[in-house]
């Protein structure tokens, strides 16, 4: 399964972005999926997860109340709606399974200016 992230960009603080993750195969829909991010000089961190059916979601404390994860299994896609963005959200964002079992995609750069 190949993963491709998109939707990043440069945005001012308190702005919004919507990230997308496209999977190449329908086996995507069997997995609990997650968004991760990696800021310069920092380790990759878990941002949000969503179960295979989309009913249960979880968020890192740093994004709770601002980010919303969702998925559309019919389109083999997952999304991350990011609102009230902060400069500390600046990072490369990646999607993968919760267990990081798939090859990493290229990621999408999110830059939030103050």
């Amino acid at each position: 399964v190949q993963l491709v992230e998109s939707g990043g960009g440069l945005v001012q603080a308190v702005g919004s972005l919507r990230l997308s993750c496209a999977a190449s195969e329908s086996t995507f829909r069997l997995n609990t999926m997650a968004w991760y991010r990696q800021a310069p000089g920092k380790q990759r961190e878990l941002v949000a997860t969503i179960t295979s059916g989309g009913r249960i979601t979880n968020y890192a404390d740093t994004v709770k109340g601002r980010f919303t994860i969702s998925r559309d299994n019919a389109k083999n896609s997952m999304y991350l709606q990011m609102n009230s963005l902060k400069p500390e959200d600046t990072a490369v964002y990646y999607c993968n399974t919760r267990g990081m079992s798939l090859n990493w995609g290229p990621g999408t750069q999110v830059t939030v200016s103050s």
Side-chain angles (χ1 to χ4, degrees):
V1 179
Q2 290 184 324
L3 301 168
V4 179
E5 304 88 352
S6 62
L10 174 64
V11 63
Q12 290 188 329
V14 307
S16 298
L17 283 173
R18 186 179 190 237
L19 306 184
S20 297
C21 168
S24 60
E25 297 180 11
S26 60
T27 50
F28 157 89
R29 63 191 66 180
L30 302 177
N31 291 286
T32 291
M33 296 296 296
W35 282 99
Y36 300 83
R37 67 185 182 186
Q38 187 167 18
K42 295 187 177 181
Q43 290 188 329
R44 191 169 294 175
E45 64 173 347
L46 179 66
V47 174
T49 64
I50 186 167
T51 52
S52 57
R55 295 183 65 182
I56 301 173
T57 58
N58 284 287
Y59 300 90
D61 288 342
T62 52
V63 306
K64 198 172 295 183
R66 301 187 297 122
F67 290 11
T68 302
I69 189 172
S70 62
R71 66 192 298 165
D72 184 342
N73 286 338
K75 296 182 179 180
N76 293 339
S77 294
M78 180 175 68
Y79 309 98
L80 186 68
Q81 177 67 44
M82 306 188 297
N83 298 329
S84 301
L85 282 161
K86 303 176 181 180
E88 50 263 44
D89 295 317
T90 295
V92 179
Y93 284 71
Y94 303 87
C95 59
N96 209 315
T97 65
R98 179 60 182 91
M100 298 183 283
S101 61
L102 302 176
N103 291 328
W104 293 98
T108 186
Q109 175 71 50
V110 172
T111 303
V112 184
S113 63
S114 57

